[in-house]
Amino acid sequence: MNLEHVFPCGNPALDFAATLRARRSVRFEMFVSGDRLDAWYLESGIVDAVTPAREADVERAVTVREAIYQLVTARIAAEPYDMGALAVVNSAARKPPAAPRLTATGRWTDATQEEALSLVARSAVELLSGADVPLMKECGNPECTRIYIDRSRGMRRQWCGMDSCGNKVKAAAYRARQKQARTAGAR
């Protein structure tokens, strides 16, 4: 399977919120089609099968995603929650979630779009009301806006992921040091 999405954040709700990348610069939307939304649900592992998304499902998912992001960033900043964002997430979480079933080969979860989105919203509710709140951080890459759970020893993790952001930041710093050394040596 060729994966279309990455999951560096440590929580499904945070990974879902991260599907709009680089929010402060050139935004990159991952949910450009129903197929991409379906792929996210499957690749994240929250469901094993999902009914194909229609345009309205993508719009609803984007609305919930943005509400989750608003709530997460408010929580990190110790600011009050936006009441509209709370209503959106709570409404999605109130819908019945997909129920796993046991099969001869293991666990299997079929879901409708609404059931899959409910699982994401419930993950956000659990995250924002749970013990992981103090572990939430924004990626140290100025171009990245992912929020992740820092479970590193000493809570010193700086990036959402080494492959996606850490290596880029370290390589840029190395190039800057090399350029500075060349400039200093030319004097």
Side-chain angles (χ1 to χ4, degrees), residues 98-168:
R101 61 187 164 95
L102 187 60
T103 68
T105 57
R107 178 190 149 277
W108 186 265
T109 305
D110 288 310
T112 64
Q113 288 290 320
E114 189 174 79
E115 290 169 337
L117 189 58
S118 177
L119 289 170
V120 173
R122 288 168 182 242
S123 177
V125 169
E126 294 303 317
L127 171 66
L128 293 168
S129 63
D132 284 344
V133 167
L135 306 179
M136 291 191 306
K137 289 183 175 179
E138 186 174 46
C139 183
N141 178 350
E143 295 176 15
C144 183
T145 53
R146 286 184 184 136
I147 309 294
Y148 63 92
I149 303 293
D150 182 1
R151 289 192 174 91
S152 66
R153 181 177 294 177
M155 288 190 58
R156 292 187 294 216
R157 183 172 156 192
Q158 297 177 27
W159 303 287
C160 61
M162 267 317 275
D163 291 340
S164 54
C165 288
N167 287 337
K168 288 178 187 174

Side-chain angles (χ1 to χ4, degrees), residues 2-178:
N2 184 20
L3 298 180
E4 298 181 32
H5 302 280
V6 294
F7 304 90
C9 300
N11 178 281
L14 295 178
D15 285 318
F16 196 74
T19 59
L20 178 60
R21 305 276 311 276
R23 291 169 181 269
R24 288 186 289 271
S25 58
V26 182
R27 294 170 160 235
F28 181 74
E29 175 63 65
M30 298 297 292
F31 295 154
V32 293
S33 67
D35 290 347
R36 295 297 299 267
L37 176 61
D38 297 345
W40 190 92
Y41 287 136
L42 298 174
E43 292 171 17
S44 72
I46 65 168
V47 298
D48 299 299
V50 63
T51 57
R54 297 183 311 269
E55 188 173 330
D57 298 316
V58 175
E59 290 171 9
R60 187 176 313 108
V62 166
T63 299
V64 170
R65 177 194 67 200
E66 293 308 299
I68 290 170
Y69 187 77
Q70 277 187 293
L71 297 175
V72 167
T73 55
R75 183 73 174 186
I76 288 173
E79 295 175 355
Y81 288 141
D82 176 84
M83 298 315 267
L86 270 178
V88 166
V89 170
N90 285 331
S91 176
R94 256 193 300 281
K95 306 289 186 202
R101 61 187 164 95
L102 187 60
T103 68
T105 57
R107 178 190 149 277
W108 186 265
T109 305
D110 288 310
T112 64
Q113 288 290 320
E114 189 174 79
E115 290 169 337
L117 189 58
S118 177
L119 289 170
V120 173
R122 288 168 182 242
S123 177
V125 169
E126 294 303 317
L127 171 66
L128 293 168
S129 63
D132 284 344
V133 167
L135 306 179
M136 291 191 306
K137 289 183 175 179
E138 186 174 46
C139 183
N141 178 350
E143 295 176 15
C144 183
T145 53
R146 286 184 184 136
I147 309 294
Y148 63 92
I149 303 293
D150 182 1
R151 289 192 174 91
S152 66
R153 181 177 294 177
M155 288 190 58
R156 292 187 294 216
R157 183 172 156 192
Q158 297 177 27
W159 303 287
C160 61
M162 267 317 275
D163 291 340
S164 54
C165 288
N167 287 337
K168 288 178 187 174
V169 173
K170 286 184 170 192
Y174 175 77
R175 286 190 301 273
R177 285 192 307 274
Q178 295 297 84

